[in-house]
Amino acid sequence: MANYSCSDGQHVLPFKDSEWALVRIANDTHARPENQSSPWDIFIIRESPYKIGRDREAHCSILDRSISRNHCELSFESDGTWLIDNFSTNSSTFVNGRSIGAQERMYIKVGDTIQIGDNPFFKYKLTKVSSPVQHGEDFGLTLNEVMMTLQNLASFKSHEASIHQRFQEIHQVLVTLPDKLSNIQREKKATLEQLYLIQQQEQEVETHLTEYSQELALLLDNMKQLRISIKRESNQVPTIQCSLSNLLRATFTEEVAAVDELVQAFAALSVT
């Protein structure tokens, strides 16, 4: 199989009916590292050499502390064989469980497992898969896109339980809302009735207040007139007293004179 040179000196693999990929081996005993998602589950190999490391410019970029920036690389030879070169100084590259020494090179084949770094989560299998482009027909999705879609679906399914639980909580709240609304309406009706009674009582109090104010004004006016009358009568008391004194004096004078006349009359009779 011939190789084709790129402008940067790398070789583009002539994939037509098939392509190679590093597919992560699912292992439930090793949890996915925090903040790491589906892009680390499959890597399509389209160039040789194929660089693997923590460097963001690497073909297979894995952000893990146990992985070197330029950790290792895969090479596709003209005879159809694969080579892996380990550049990590801590010998944290494993092929089929065997540790590869620093600067060591070894042949690998389709089906071999390659663990990158100390974390068993990053264990991949070299796989040859069918290309989505066959017989000149484009089905619209690459293998990587299909895998990404499936992994996104799996991620959505993992959230299904929490979404369902949240839905149940919202449903329970919605179920109780009609009763709560009914209670609020009853309380509102009772409050309006109480408010109506209070308004009626307020109107009655205002009516009584108006009547009492008018009556009080009338009483005050009568008291004022009475005071005027008392003052006027008080001014006439001396005159009345004088008149009464003169009347009594005149009356008693006439009576004394009459008595004197009677005495004189009896005296005259006695002499005769």
PDB file of all heavy atoms in Angstrom, residues 69-100:
ATOM      1  N   ARG A  69       3.567  15.311  27.109  1.00  0.00           N
ATOM      2  CA  ARG A  69       3.116  16.146  25.994  1.00  0.00           C
ATOM      3  C   ARG A  69       3.317  15.414  24.673  1.00  0.00           C
ATOM      4  O   ARG A  69       2.439  15.405  23.824  1.00  0.00           O
ATOM      5  CB  ARG A  69       3.878  17.467  25.997  1.00  0.00           C
ATOM      6  CG  ARG A  69       3.547  18.368  27.184  1.00  0.00           C
ATOM      7  CD  ARG A  69       4.390  19.635  27.150  1.00  0.00           C
ATOM      8  NE  ARG A  69       4.178  20.378  25.920  1.00  0.00           N
ATOM      9  CZ  ARG A  69       3.178  21.226  25.727  1.00  0.00           C
ATOM     10  NH1 ARG A  69       2.295  21.435  26.683  1.00  0.00           N
ATOM     11  NH2 ARG A  69       3.041  21.884  24.586  1.00  0.00           N
ATOM     12  N   ASN A  70       4.495  14.816  24.486  1.00  0.00           N
ATOM     13  CA  ASN A  70       4.771  13.989  23.298  1.00  0.00           C
ATOM     14  C   ASN A  70       5.007  12.569  23.805  1.00  0.00           C
ATOM     15  O   ASN A  70       6.133  12.139  24.022  1.00  0.00           O
ATOM     16  CB  ASN A  70       5.973  14.527  22.541  1.00  0.00           C
ATOM     17  CG  ASN A  70       6.236  13.766  21.263  1.00  0.00           C
ATOM     18  OD1 ASN A  70       5.342  13.107  20.725  1.00  0.00           O
ATOM     19  ND2 ASN A  70       7.467  13.842  20.771  1.00  0.00           N
ATOM     20  N   HIS A  71       3.913  11.839  24.026  1.00  0.00           N
ATOM     21  CA  HIS A  71       3.982  10.568  24.753  1.00  0.00           C
ATOM     22  C   HIS A  71       4.462   9.430  23.853  1.00  0.00           C
ATOM     23  O   HIS A  71       5.430   8.718  24.179  1.00  0.00           O
ATOM     24  CB  HIS A  71       2.609  10.239  25.350  1.00  0.00           C
ATOM     25  CG  HIS A  71       2.664   9.197  26.416  1.00  0.00           C
ATOM     26  ND1 HIS A  71       2.840   9.484  27.749  1.00  0.00           N
ATOM     27  CD2 HIS A  71       2.570   7.839  26.330  1.00  0.00           C
ATOM     28  CE1 HIS A  71       2.852   8.366  28.453  1.00  0.00           C
ATOM     29  NE2 HIS A  71       2.684   7.358  27.610  1.00  0.00           N
ATOM     30  N   CYS A  72       3.811   9.232  22.737  1.00  0.00           N
ATOM     31  CA  CYS A  72       4.187   8.154  21.806  1.00  0.00           C
ATOM     32  C   CYS A  72       3.589   8.462  20.450  1.00  0.00           C
ATOM     33  O   CYS A  72       2.834   9.422  20.299  1.00  0.00           O
ATOM     34  CB  CYS A  72       3.717   6.791  22.328  1.00  0.00           C
ATOM     35  SG  CYS A  72       1.915   6.641  22.490  1.00  0.00           S
ATOM     36  N   GLU A  73       3.921   7.627  19.470  1.00  0.00           N
ATOM     37  CA  GLU A  73       3.340   7.813  18.155  1.00  0.00           C
ATOM     38  C   GLU A  73       3.229   6.471  17.443  1.00  0.00           C
ATOM     39  O   GLU A  73       3.988   5.538  17.706  1.00  0.00           O
ATOM     40  CB  GLU A  73       4.145   8.795  17.311  1.00  0.00           C
ATOM     41  CG  GLU A  73       5.494   8.322  16.879  1.00  0.00           C
ATOM     42  CD  GLU A  73       6.226   9.350  16.016  1.00  0.00           C
ATOM     43  OE1 GLU A  73       5.851  10.534  16.069  1.00  0.00           O
ATOM     44  OE2 GLU A  73       7.146   8.963  15.282  1.00  0.00           O
ATOM     45  N   LEU A  74       2.235   6.400  16.529  1.00  0.00           N
ATOM     46  CA  LEU A  74       2.026   5.205  15.709  1.00  0.00           C
ATOM     47  C   LEU A  74       2.478   5.495  14.282  1.00  0.00           C
ATOM     48  O   LEU A  74       2.283   6.607  13.786  1.00  0.00           O
ATOM     49  CB  LEU A  74       0.548   4.808  15.714  1.00  0.00           C
ATOM     50  CG  LEU A  74      -0.106   4.541  17.078  1.00  0.00           C
ATOM     51  CD1 LEU A  74      -1.576   4.179  16.900  1.00  0.00           C
ATOM     52  CD2 LEU A  74       0.620   3.428  17.819  1.00  0.00           C
ATOM     53  N   SER A  75       3.076   4.485  13.642  1.00  0.00           N
ATOM     54  CA  SER A  75       3.553   4.637  12.258  1.00  0.00           C
ATOM     55  C   SER A  75       3.043   3.465  11.427  1.00  0.00           C
ATOM     56  O   SER A  75       3.045   2.312  11.878  1.00  0.00           O
ATOM     57  CB  SER A  75       5.085   4.670  12.207  1.00  0.00           C
ATOM     58  OG  SER A  75       5.580   5.741  12.987  1.00  0.00           O
ATOM     59  N   PHE A  76       2.581   3.793  10.218  1.00  0.00           N
ATOM     60  CA  PHE A  76       2.102   2.765   9.298  1.00  0.00           C
ATOM     61  C   PHE A  76       3.168   2.548   8.218  1.00  0.00           C
ATOM     62  O   PHE A  76       3.539   3.488   7.508  1.00  0.00           O
ATOM     63  CB  PHE A  76       0.787   3.217   8.659  1.00  0.00           C
ATOM     64  CG  PHE A  76       0.137   2.170   7.819  1.00  0.00           C
ATOM     65  CD1 PHE A  76      -0.561   1.124   8.395  1.00  0.00           C
ATOM     66  CD2 PHE A  76       0.222   2.235   6.434  1.00  0.00           C
ATOM     67  CE1 PHE A  76      -1.173   0.168   7.609  1.00  0.00           C
ATOM     68  CE2 PHE A  76      -0.386   1.277   5.639  1.00  0.00           C
ATOM     69  CZ  PHE A  76      -1.086   0.233   6.237  1.00  0.00           C
ATOM     70  N   GLU A  77       3.690   1.334   8.159  1.00  0.00           N
ATOM     71  CA  GLU A  77       4.762   1.031   7.214  1.00  0.00           C
ATOM     72  C   GLU A  77       4.195   0.657   5.848  1.00  0.00           C
ATOM     73  O   GLU A  77       3.025   0.315   5.706  1.00  0.00           O
ATOM     74  CB  GLU A  77       5.618  -0.109   7.763  1.00  0.00           C
ATOM     75  CG  GLU A  77       6.286   0.198   9.102  1.00  0.00           C
ATOM     76  CD  GLU A  77       7.235   1.366   8.994  1.00  0.00           C
ATOM     77  OE1 GLU A  77       8.145   1.315   8.145  1.00  0.00           O
ATOM     78  OE2 GLU A  77       7.044   2.365   9.746  1.00  0.00           O
ATOM     79  N   SER A  78       5.056   0.721   4.858  1.00  0.00           N
ATOM     80  CA  SER A  78       4.640   0.434   3.484  1.00  0.00           C
ATOM     81  C   SER A  78       4.224  -1.013   3.293  1.00  0.00           C
ATOM     82  O   SER A  78       3.473  -1.340   2.363  1.00  0.00           O
ATOM     83  CB  SER A  78       5.764   0.781   2.503  1.00  0.00           C
ATOM     84  OG  SER A  78       6.935   0.032   2.818  1.00  0.00           O
ATOM     85  N   ASP A  79       4.695  -1.908   4.182  1.00  0.00           N
ATOM     86  CA  ASP A  79       4.318  -3.315   4.049  1.00  0.00           C
ATOM     87  C   ASP A  79       3.018  -3.633   4.786  1.00  0.00           C
ATOM     88  O   ASP A  79       2.623  -4.802   4.911  1.00  0.00           O
ATOM     89  CB  ASP A  79       5.445  -4.222   4.572  1.00  0.00           C
ATOM     90  CG  ASP A  79       5.772  -3.919   6.032  1.00  0.00           C
ATOM     91  OD1 ASP A  79       5.146  -3.007   6.614  1.00  0.00           O
ATOM     92  OD2 ASP A  79       6.664  -4.598   6.586  1.00  0.00           O
ATOM     93  N   GLY A  80       2.361  -2.583   5.303  1.00  0.00           N
ATOM     94  CA  GLY A  80       1.071  -2.806   5.953  1.00  0.00           C
ATOM     95  C   GLY A  80       1.171  -3.074   7.439  1.00  0.00           C
ATOM     96  O   GLY A  80       0.150  -3.379   8.067  1.00  0.00           O
ATOM     97  N   THR A  81       2.374  -2.981   8.012  1.00  0.00           N
ATOM     98  CA  THR A  81       2.531  -3.221   9.446  1.00  0.00           C
ATOM     99  C   THR A  81       2.493  -1.896  10.207  1.00  0.00           C
ATOM    100  O   THR A  81       2.718  -0.817   9.644  1.00  0.00           O
ATOM    101  CB  THR A  81       3.849  -3.943   9.745  1.00  0.00           C
ATOM    102  OG1 THR A  81       4.928  -3.132   9.243  1.00  0.00           O
ATOM    103  CG2 THR A  81       3.880  -5.304   9.080  1.00  0.00           C
ATOM    104  N   TRP A  82       2.252  -2.011  11.538  1.00  0.00           N
ATOM    105  CA  TRP A  82       2.199  -0.845  12.421  1.00  0.00           C
ATOM    106  C   TRP A  82       3.335  -0.889  13.416  1.00  0.00           C
ATOM    107  O   TRP A  82       3.733  -1.960  13.895  1.00  0.00           O
ATOM    108  CB  TRP A  82       0.869  -0.804  13.197  1.00  0.00           C
ATOM    109  CG  TRP A  82      -0.321  -0.366  12.385  1.00  0.00           C
ATOM    110  CD1 TRP A  82      -1.172  -1.158  11.700  1.00  0.00           C
ATOM    111  CD2 TRP A  82      -0.753   0.976  12.198  1.00  0.00           C
ATOM    112  NE1 TRP A  82      -2.124  -0.426  11.071  1.00  0.00           N
ATOM    113  CE2 TRP A  82      -1.900   0.916  11.366  1.00  0.00           C
ATOM    114  CE3 TRP A  82      -0.295   2.226  12.613  1.00  0.00           C
ATOM    115  CZ2 TRP A  82      -2.600   2.047  10.968  1.00  0.00           C
ATOM    116  CZ3 TRP A  82      -1.003   3.353  12.223  1.00  0.00           C
ATOM    117  CH2 TRP A  82      -2.139   3.260  11.397  1.00  0.00           C
ATOM    118  N   LEU A  83       3.869   0.291  13.734  1.00  0.00           N
ATOM    119  CA  LEU A  83       4.906   0.429  14.754  1.00  0.00           C
ATOM    120  C   LEU A  83       4.441   1.451  15.788  1.00  0.00           C
ATOM    121  O   LEU A  83       3.744   2.409  15.462  1.00  0.00           O
ATOM    122  CB  LEU A  83       6.228   0.902  14.138  1.00  0.00           C
ATOM    123  CG  LEU A  83       7.019  -0.109  13.316  1.00  0.00           C
ATOM    124  CD1 LEU A  83       8.180   0.588  12.619  1.00  0.00           C
ATOM    125  CD2 LEU A  83       7.545  -1.228  14.208  1.00  0.00           C
ATOM    126  N   ILE A  84       4.860   1.237  17.047  1.00  0.00           N
ATOM    127  CA  ILE A  84       4.617   2.210  18.091  1.00  0.00           C
ATOM    128  C   ILE A  84       5.950   2.599  18.702  1.00  0.00           C
ATOM    129  O   ILE A  84       6.779   1.743  19.013  1.00  0.00           O
ATOM    130  CB  ILE A  84       3.653   1.682  19.184  1.00  0.00           C
ATOM    131  CG1 ILE A  84       3.396   2.791  20.222  1.00  0.00           C
ATOM    132  CG2 ILE A  84       4.147   0.401  19.821  1.00  0.00           C
ATOM    133  CD1 ILE A  84       2.272   2.459  21.203  1.00  0.00           C
ATOM    134  N   ASP A  85       6.198   3.906  18.834  1.00  0.00           N
ATOM    135  CA  ASP A  85       7.410   4.442  19.449  1.00  0.00           C
ATOM    136  C   ASP A  85       7.017   5.132  20.752  1.00  0.00           C
ATOM    137  O   ASP A  85       6.148   6.028  20.756  1.00  0.00           O
ATOM    138  CB  ASP A  85       8.094   5.437  18.506  1.00  0.00           C
ATOM    139  CG  ASP A  85       8.707   4.753  17.306  1.00  0.00           C
ATOM    140  OD1 ASP A  85       9.817   4.229  17.446  1.00  0.00           O
ATOM    141  OD2 ASP A  85       8.062   4.761  16.243  1.00  0.00           O
ATOM    142  N   ASN A  86       7.647   4.713  21.841  1.00  0.00           N
ATOM    143  CA  ASN A  86       7.360   5.309  23.140  1.00  0.00           C
ATOM    144  C   ASN A  86       8.391   6.391  23.446  1.00  0.00           C
ATOM    145  O   ASN A  86       9.588   6.123  23.515  1.00  0.00           O
ATOM    146  CB  ASN A  86       7.374   4.236  24.234  1.00  0.00           C
ATOM    147  CG  ASN A  86       7.060   4.831  25.595  1.00  0.00           C
ATOM    148  OD1 ASN A  86       6.238   5.717  25.704  1.00  0.00           O
ATOM    149  ND2 ASN A  86       7.714   4.340  26.627  1.00  0.00           N
ATOM    150  N   PHE A  87       7.944   7.636  23.649  1.00  0.00           N
ATOM    151  CA  PHE A  87       8.834   8.740  23.984  1.00  0.00           C
ATOM    152  C   PHE A  87       8.746   9.131  25.462  1.00  0.00           C
ATOM    153  O   PHE A  87       9.486   9.997  25.921  1.00  0.00           O
ATOM    154  CB  PHE A  87       8.492   9.965  23.128  1.00  0.00           C
ATOM    155  CG  PHE A  87       8.559   9.689  21.655  1.00  0.00           C
ATOM    156  CD1 PHE A  87       7.537  10.056  20.798  1.00  0.00           C
ATOM    157  CD2 PHE A  87       9.663   9.042  21.108  1.00  0.00           C
ATOM    158  CE1 PHE A  87       7.596   9.802  19.446  1.00  0.00           C
ATOM    159  CE2 PHE A  87       9.734   8.781  19.748  1.00  0.00           C
ATOM    160  CZ  PHE A  87       8.697   9.156  18.909  1.00  0.00           C
ATOM    161  N   SER A  88       7.832   8.489  26.198  1.00  0.00           N
ATOM    162  CA  SER A  88       7.649   8.822  27.607  1.00  0.00           C
ATOM    163  C   SER A  88       8.797   8.251  28.429  1.00  0.00           C
ATOM    164  O   SER A  88       9.170   7.084  28.280  1.00  0.00           O
ATOM    165  CB  SER A  88       6.315   8.268  28.116  1.00  0.00           C
ATOM    166  OG  SER A  88       6.179   8.485  29.497  1.00  0.00           O
ATOM    167  N   THR A  89       9.341   9.060  29.314  1.00  0.00           N
ATOM    168  CA  THR A  89      10.472   8.617  30.141  1.00  0.00           C
ATOM    169  C   THR A  89      10.034   7.800  31.351  1.00  0.00           C
ATOM    170  O   THR A  89      10.852   7.145  31.984  1.00  0.00           O
ATOM    171  CB  THR A  89      11.275   9.833  30.628  1.00  0.00           C
ATOM    172  OG1 THR A  89      10.396  10.710  31.354  1.00  0.00           O
ATOM    173  CG2 THR A  89      11.862  10.583  29.445  1.00  0.00           C
ATOM    174  N   ASN A  90       8.759   7.833  31.669  1.00  0.00           N
ATOM    175  CA  ASN A  90       8.306   7.077  32.840  1.00  0.00           C
ATOM    176  C   ASN A  90       7.740   5.710  32.477  1.00  0.00           C
ATOM    177  O   ASN A  90       7.141   5.029  33.303  1.00  0.00           O
ATOM    178  CB  ASN A  90       7.255   7.880  33.625  1.00  0.00           C
ATOM    179  CG  ASN A  90       6.062   8.257  32.756  1.00  0.00           C
ATOM    180  OD1 ASN A  90       5.933   7.801  31.622  1.00  0.00           O
ATOM    181  ND2 ASN A  90       5.188   9.092  33.286  1.00  0.00           N
ATOM    182  N   SER A  91       7.927   5.296  31.222  1.00  0.00           N
ATOM    183  CA  SER A  91       7.509   3.955  30.773  1.00  0.00           C
ATOM    184  C   SER A  91       6.043   3.682  31.073  1.00  0.00           C
ATOM    185  O   SER A  91       5.669   2.589  31.501  1.00  0.00           O
ATOM    186  CB  SER A  91       8.388   2.873  31.432  1.00  0.00           C
ATOM    187  OG  SER A  91       9.746   3.067  31.108  1.00  0.00           O
ATOM    188  N   SER A  92       5.195   4.705  30.829  1.00  0.00           N
ATOM    189  CA  SER A  92       3.769   4.519  31.114  1.00  0.00           C
ATOM    190  C   SER A  92       2.981   4.298  29.839  1.00  0.00           C
ATOM    191  O   SER A  92       1.916   4.848  29.631  1.00  0.00           O
ATOM    192  CB  SER A  92       3.222   5.731  31.874  1.00  0.00           C
ATOM    193  OG  SER A  92       3.440   6.922  31.125  1.00  0.00           O
ATOM    194  N   THR A  93       3.554   3.505  28.928  1.00  0.00           N
ATOM    195  CA  THR A  93       2.867   3.070  27.717  1.00  0.00           C
ATOM    196  C   THR A  93       2.848   1.553  27.731  1.00  0.00           C
ATOM    197  O   THR A  93       3.886   0.904  27.932  1.00  0.00           O
ATOM    198  CB  THR A  93       3.568   3.577  26.452  1.00  0.00           C
ATOM    199  OG1 THR A  93       3.646   5.019  26.509  1.00  0.00           O
ATOM    200  CG2 THR A  93       2.802   3.181  25.209  1.00  0.00           C
ATOM    201  N   PHE A  94       1.653   0.963  27.512  1.00  0.00           N
ATOM    202  CA  PHE A  94       1.503  -0.480  27.622  1.00  0.00           C
ATOM    203  C   PHE A  94       0.851  -1.015  26.363  1.00  0.00           C
ATOM    204  O   PHE A  94      -0.120  -0.451  25.852  1.00  0.00           O
ATOM    205  CB  PHE A  94       0.625  -0.837  28.839  1.00  0.00           C
ATOM    206  CG  PHE A  94       1.124  -0.276  30.138  1.00  0.00           C
ATOM    207  CD1 PHE A  94       0.776   1.007  30.546  1.00  0.00           C
ATOM    208  CD2 PHE A  94       1.950  -1.038  30.959  1.00  0.00           C
ATOM    209  CE1 PHE A  94       1.231   1.528  31.740  1.00  0.00           C
ATOM    210  CE2 PHE A  94       2.412  -0.522  32.160  1.00  0.00           C
ATOM    211  CZ  PHE A  94       2.051   0.760  32.553  1.00  0.00           C
ATOM    212  N   VAL A  95       1.418  -2.116  25.826  1.00  0.00           N
ATOM    213  CA  VAL A  95       0.844  -2.813  24.691  1.00  0.00           C
ATOM    214  C   VAL A  95       0.475  -4.212  25.160  1.00  0.00           C
ATOM    215  O   VAL A  95       1.351  -4.974  25.606  1.00  0.00           O
ATOM    216  CB  VAL A  95       1.830  -2.878  23.508  1.00  0.00           C
ATOM    217  CG1 VAL A  95       1.244  -3.728  22.384  1.00  0.00           C
ATOM    218  CG2 VAL A  95       2.140  -1.475  23.001  1.00  0.00           C
ATOM    219  N   ASN A  96      -0.819  -4.508  25.098  1.00  0.00           N
ATOM    220  CA  ASN A  96      -1.322  -5.808  25.591  1.00  0.00           C
ATOM    221  C   ASN A  96      -0.886  -6.063  27.029  1.00  0.00           C
ATOM    222  O   ASN A  96      -0.555  -7.191  27.421  1.00  0.00           O
ATOM    223  CB  ASN A  96      -0.875  -6.952  24.683  1.00  0.00           C
ATOM    224  CG  ASN A  96      -1.448  -6.799  23.278  1.00  0.00           C
ATOM    225  OD1 ASN A  96      -2.561  -6.313  23.088  1.00  0.00           O
ATOM    226  ND2 ASN A  96      -0.667  -7.217  22.286  1.00  0.00           N
ATOM    227  N   GLY A  97      -0.833  -4.999  27.833  1.00  0.00           N
ATOM    228  CA  GLY A  97      -0.465  -5.125  29.232  1.00  0.00           C
ATOM    229  C   GLY A  97       1.020  -5.059  29.508  1.00  0.00           C
ATOM    230  O   GLY A  97       1.427  -4.992  30.676  1.00  0.00           O
ATOM    231  N   ARG A  98       1.866  -5.067  28.469  1.00  0.00           N
ATOM    232  CA  ARG A  98       3.316  -5.032  28.639  1.00  0.00           C
ATOM    233  C   ARG A  98       3.807  -3.601  28.559  1.00  0.00           C
ATOM    234  O   ARG A  98       3.460  -2.864  27.632  1.00  0.00           O
ATOM    235  CB  ARG A  98       3.991  -5.876  27.578  1.00  0.00           C
ATOM    236  CG  ARG A  98       5.520  -5.767  27.585  1.00  0.00           C
ATOM    237  CD  ARG A  98       6.125  -6.604  26.447  1.00  0.00           C
ATOM    238  NE  ARG A  98       7.564  -6.411  26.339  1.00  0.00           N
ATOM    239  CZ  ARG A  98       8.152  -5.456  25.654  1.00  0.00           C
ATOM    240  NH1 ARG A  98       7.407  -4.579  25.001  1.00  0.00           N
ATOM    241  NH2 ARG A  98       9.475  -5.368  25.590  1.00  0.00           N
ATOM    242  N   SER A  99       4.632  -3.183  29.544  1.00  0.00           N
ATOM    243  CA  SER A  99       5.181  -1.843  29.568  1.00  0.00           C
ATOM    244  C   SER A  99       6.287  -1.705  28.531  1.00  0.00           C
ATOM    245  O   SER A  99       7.134  -2.591  28.387  1.00  0.00           O
ATOM    246  CB  SER A  99       5.725  -1.518  30.963  1.00  0.00           C
ATOM    247  OG  SER A  99       6.341  -0.246  30.964  1.00  0.00           O
ATOM    248  N   ILE A 100       6.279  -0.601  27.797  1.00  0.00           N
ATOM    249  CA  ILE A 100       7.318  -0.323  26.799  1.00  0.00           C
ATOM    250  C   ILE A 100       8.293   0.665  27.412  1.00  0.00           C
ATOM    251  O   ILE A 100       7.899   1.684  27.992  1.00  0.00           O
ATOM    252  CB  ILE A 100       6.706   0.257  25.514  1.00  0.00           C
ATOM    253  CG1 ILE A 100       5.616  -0.659  24.963  1.00  0.00           C
ATOM    254  CG2 ILE A 100       7.773   0.494  24.470  1.00  0.00           C
ATOM    255  CD1 ILE A 100       4.934  -0.105  23.732  1.00  0.00           C
TER     256      ILE A 100
END
